[in-house]
Amino acid sequence: MELILTLGVAQTGELNEFEIRSLDGELEALCASVDDVFARPASRENLRAMVRGLLSEVPRKNMWQLAEHAGHPNPDRLQGFLAKAAWDADELRDRVRAYAVAALLADDAVLIADETGDIKKGTKSAGVQRQYTGTAGRIENAQVSVHLSYGSSRGRTLIDRELYLGRAWAGTTAEHEHRCAEQGIPPERATEVATKPELARRMLERALEADVPFTYFLADEAYGQCRALRAWLEERRVRYVLAIPRHEAVPLPDGRTRQARELYALVPEGTFERRSCANGAKGPSEYDWASVQLGPTAGDFERHLLIRRSLCPTRRTRRPALWYARSPTSCATPTPAPPWPN
């Protein structure tokens, strides 16, 4: 089914409730375009109530406040919608992705993998366990999910998701199978742990199969240090810029490998260029940048070590930020790797 919403210029920045209400007709058209995903009329009504509540200026997006915003006497309807209503989640995901890509498509579009966490009190929610979450900046009892975002100069939004199931949710006992079945976790996800890079790869596969247009895949160290993910990206000829830890071994043009921090230490001072990567609250966010050519890769692609150095180093920013990048040969003119002492 084709989306029936006429696409206009994508809006960037936050919208207030008045601006959202002025787009009421477009929002209704968007919801109507996915009505066939939901079998029951009540589910379609609850979908609209959820979407409008999440877009509203309700200070806390919990079930009680969303229900109050929708005019419901209690959260039972919305809770039942999320817990028991039947719909094709994958089909809805694909519709949302198609809509987002059509609205945000631009020559500079990128795909971004990242994760987020929801702190929980109990132990019943699918995937909940004690684990690190950036939401709290420490180990907490939480759910963690990996997301794939689509971003360009026209805006950005999430287009895919995968729930991370850690070791506490992997097993083969009858008790474990019952626990997973109770939470709707499919058997193929209940016996082995799929790492976060693996979850990101699955979402990238879906994006590639759907012919989502993008220039680069971006991710932080949790994904950049995964050599299996990098190898898969190169096999699929996907351009990427992935953050790596300072101790990550990188290949040199002469066939040797060295840690990224060692290579950074040998980069000549005159190699760095000062550039802005964004406009912050106090003006352009400027850093010193350098790109060093690494060992070759297959086809007409090159590998680079991308280095970002803070202009005003503090205890937190004294160390350089390092990225492992793969791009077409014609896209950059990196500095040759410095000679290594024998």
Side-chain angles (χ1 to χ4, degrees):
M1 177 181 176
E2 295 293 330
L3 294 174
I4 62 175
L5 180 61
T6 302
L7 299 175
V9 177
Q11 298 193 39
T12 59
E14 295 185 1
L15 301 177
N16 58 41
E17 189 166 358
F18 174 78
E19 290 171 322
I20 292 172
R21 289 186 181 279
S22 70
L23 301 173
D24 191 73
E26 293 185 39
L27 181 60
E28 172 57 31
L30 176 59
C31 291
S33 70
V34 297
D35 273 348
D36 61 311
V37 178
F38 300 88
R40 300 178 63 246
S43 295
R44 300 166 191 166
E45 294 177 7
N46 288 325
L47 169 70
R48 287 160 171 76
M50 285 288 300
V51 171
R52 293 179 187 279
L54 291 171
L55 291 174
S56 73
E57 293 184 339
V58 171
R60 296 186 63 192
K61 302 300 192 294
N62 57 42
M63 287 293 101
W64 275 101
Q65 293 204 14
L66 294 181
E68 182 179 354
H69 182 269
H72 300 174
N74 55 57
D76 292 353
R77 283 178 57 184
L78 296 183
Q79 286 177 337
F81 170 65
L82 293 180
K84 301 176 182 178
W87 72 77
D88 189 333
D90 290 344
E91 175 64 21
L92 183 60
R93 173 204 62 209
D94 293 346
R95 301 276 188 91
V96 170
R97 180 184 61 211
Y99 171 76
V101 170
L104 302 178
L105 180 62
D107 291 339
D108 60 352
V110 295
L111 288 174
I112 309 164
D114 203 358
E115 60 197 64
T116 188
D118 294 307
I119 297 175
K120 299 289 184 178
K121 295 295 185 182
T123 59
K124 292 287 187 179
S125 300
V128 68
Q129 62 180 11
R130 288 193 59 78
Q131 57 191 319
Y132 178 82
T133 168
T135 304
R138 58 182 181 273
I139 295 176
E140 285 280 359
N141 192 61
Q143 282 178 316
V144 171
S145 53
V146 181
H147 297 95
L148 189 68
S149 299
Y150 191 72
S152 72
S153 53
R154 305 187 70 193
R156 58 195 179 276
T157 192
L158 303 178
I159 61 170
D160 206 344
R161 78 288 173 262
E162 285 282 353
L163 180 64
Y164 174 68
L165 300 173
R167 293 183 179 178
W169 289 85
T172 56
T173 65
E175 181 182 357
H176 173 75
E177 291 178 0
H178 175 74
R179 181 191 184 200
C180 290
E182 193 177 46
Q183 298 304 322
I185 297 173
E188 61 270 17
R189 291 291 309 276
T191 56
E192 296 182 357
V193 176
T195 65
K196 294 169 186 175
E198 168 64 18
L199 297 178
R201 185 186 65 79
R202 293 179 186 181
M203 293 186 289
L204 269 170
E205 281 184 328
R206 290 196 285 263
L208 291 172
E209 289 172 0
D211 293 324
V212 172
F214 66 99
T215 56
Y216 284 87
F217 169 64
L218 315 177
D220 63 19
E221 285 186 14
Y223 308 89
Q225 65 186 346
C226 179
R227 297 182 182 180
L229 177 60
R230 298 203 307 257
W232 180 84
L233 291 168
E234 296 193 2
E235 180 183 338
R236 298 296 297 267
R237 297 180 61 81
V238 173
R239 295 183 289 184
Y240 60 77
V241 180
L242 303 175
I244 57 173
R246 296 186 307 134
H247 61 265
E248 183 74 14
V250 295
L252 301 179
D254 62 8
R256 291 183 291 174
T257 61
R258 289 294 186 274
Q259 291 187 358
R261 59 183 174 185
E262 296 177 310
L263 183 55
Y264 161 70
L266 293 178
V267 175
E269 186 64 31
T271 300
F272 287 90
E273 295 183 18
R274 186 156 301 176
R275 297 190 181 186
S276 172
C277 61
N279 289 322
K282 299 181 180 179
S285 298
E286 293 186 327
Y287 295 89
D288 284 339
W289 298 83
S291 176
V292 180
Q293 186 170 346
L294 300 176
T297 183
D300 54 346
F301 283 80
E302 293 180 346
R303 294 189 184 107
H304 316 290
L305 179 67
L306 182 62
I307 304 169
R308 187 190 72 185
R309 188 176 64 185
S310 176
L311 303 185
C312 302
T314 64
R315 184 176 182 181
R316 292 184 61 187
T317 63
R318 188 176 298 120
R319 296 175 178 175
L322 304 171
W323 287 270
Y324 197 55
R326 178 178 184 265
S327 61
T329 304
S330 59
C331 282
T333 54
T335 300
W340 286 93
N342 293 324

